[in-house]
Amino acid sequence: MCPGARTLLDVAGGRGPSAAPGDGSPQSLPSVGDRQQGHPAPQSPAPQQSPGPTARNQAPQQQVPHGPAQRPAPQSPVQQPPAQQAAAPSAGFPPQAGAAPAGAGAQSADADGVIPWKPPAADDPFFAAAQAAQGHPAGLGRRLAARLIDTLVLGALTAAVAVPMWSTVTDHLDAKVEAAKQSGRQMTVYLIDGTTIPVFATILAVLLIGGALYEALPTLKWGRTLGKKLCGVRVLDIESHDTPTLGAALRRWFVYSVLGVLVVGVLNVVWCVFDQPWRQCWHDKLARTFVASG
């Protein structure tokens, strides 16, 4: 058979002439990126036979060039709205200042077991009057009555110790006077000597120490003695308006008692009548206290 007739038979049977390597069919070339990154160059596909007449009429497919594999772009983190970003507070801890808790409209403040402080709904008029009276000096009549009661109580305690000892003093003084009369000479009889000094010292110690126990300790604890409680007055610190310290209570009592022994106590007590605005006596000024109502 002649060569021309064989070609016609091949075309009619759907076989085309095999594409030679030297024809104009496109070939893929190795990519420069693969060569730089160390990847082996892709092998060129085997040559294919030319399509038949039916395949020629179809639309040619788009060839994707072989290149370096494209990496997916990094995805940015999805930002949540501020309402979702605010985490709910831990159980047992109140929310931080400035941050509104999640679901504040549905949950109360005591859901975590914390009870918020609430101011008093209404002021008690009696409590307000008591507070107002506590910051002002007490009346002089009630103060005088309280001092008289305390003096009687302390005097009774001192007399309980002094009366049995006083007979020793009187017997000693009577013996000295009788001896002076029998001598027939004019003599001076002294009340204070080696026999009477211990008795007087004991009575003074009972007055000061007993008074400290009766005056200073109740004043430190409650701000009042028995007489002040009965008369509705109390001793307060002039700055804090609280019960005085132990040092202030002791200083207040000892100054009052020593001035009373030196017969200057009358002026000390009368001083509160003219003092302004706290109506303080001398022992109150040295102890930085005042006598208030309540």
Side-chain angles (χ1 to χ4, degrees):
M1 183 179 295
C2 64
R6 184 179 300 174
T7 304
L8 292 176
L9 291 175
D10 294 337
V11 172
R15 293 183 304 173
S18 59
D23 59 3
S25 62
Q27 297 181 0
S28 61
L29 298 178
S31 174
V32 178
D34 291 341
R35 194 176 304 163
Q36 293 178 355
Q37 295 180 2
H39 297 288
Q43 299 294 334
S44 61
Q48 300 178 357
Q49 296 181 357
S50 61
T54 306
R56 290 175 183 177
N57 296 331
Q58 296 178 358
Q61 296 181 1
Q62 183 178 0
Q63 296 181 359
V64 179
H66 296 278
Q70 297 181 0
R71 300 180 180 178
Q75 298 180 0
S76 59
V78 180
Q79 297 183 357
Q80 298 179 356
Q84 297 180 0
Q85 290 182 358
S90 303
F93 294 91
Q96 298 292 334
Q107 297 179 357
S108 60
D110 55 354
D112 296 334
V114 179
I115 301 176
W117 178 84
K118 293 182 180 180
D123 293 334
D124 188 359
F126 298 101
F127 180 72
Q131 279 189 333
Q134 183 175 347
H136 295 280
L140 297 180
R142 288 191 293 170
R143 292 179 61 179
L144 179 60
R147 176 53 63 186
L148 290 177
I149 295 174
D150 291 335
T151 302
L152 292 176
V153 173
L154 186 57
L157 295 176
T158 307
V161 178
V163 168
M165 301 177 63
W166 190 252
S167 60
T168 304
V169 176
T170 56
D171 292 343
H172 175 68
L173 294 178
D174 290 341
K176 291 178 66 175
V177 171
E178 187 65 27
K181 290 181 178 179
Q182 291 179 1
S183 64
R185 295 178 298 176
Q186 186 177 1
M187 300 177 59
T188 303
V189 178
Y190 294 97
L191 298 178
I192 298 176
D193 56 12
T195 304
T196 58
I197 286 179
V199 177
F200 291 150
T202 302
I203 296 175
L204 182 61
V206 170
L207 178 64
L208 295 179
I209 298 176
L213 296 176
Y214 176 79
E215 286 268 353
L217 294 184
T219 302
L220 170 67
K221 183 66 176 179
W222 302 289
R224 62 185 65 184
T225 57
L226 177 61
K228 291 180 175 61
K229 183 177 181 179
L230 294 176
C231 296
V233 296
R234 61 185 306 188
V235 179
L236 298 177
D237 185 84
I238 198 171
E239 295 179 356
S240 64
H241 283 205
D242 198 359
T243 55
T245 61
L246 178 60
L250 290 175
R251 185 165 56 249
R252 184 177 188 273
W253 162 246
F254 281 118
V255 171
Y256 170 79
S257 58
V258 170
L259 292 178
V261 171
L262 298 177
V263 200
V264 191
V266 177
L267 184 59
N268 173 35
V269 173
V270 176
W271 190 266
C272 64
V273 178
F274 309 99
D275 184 75
Q276 294 292 339
W278 298 106
R279 301 290 186 179
Q280 292 174 295
C281 300
W282 291 350
H283 56 277
D284 286 318
K285 289 183 176 297
L286 293 176
R288 299 192 61 81
T289 59
F290 75 102
V291 181
S293 300

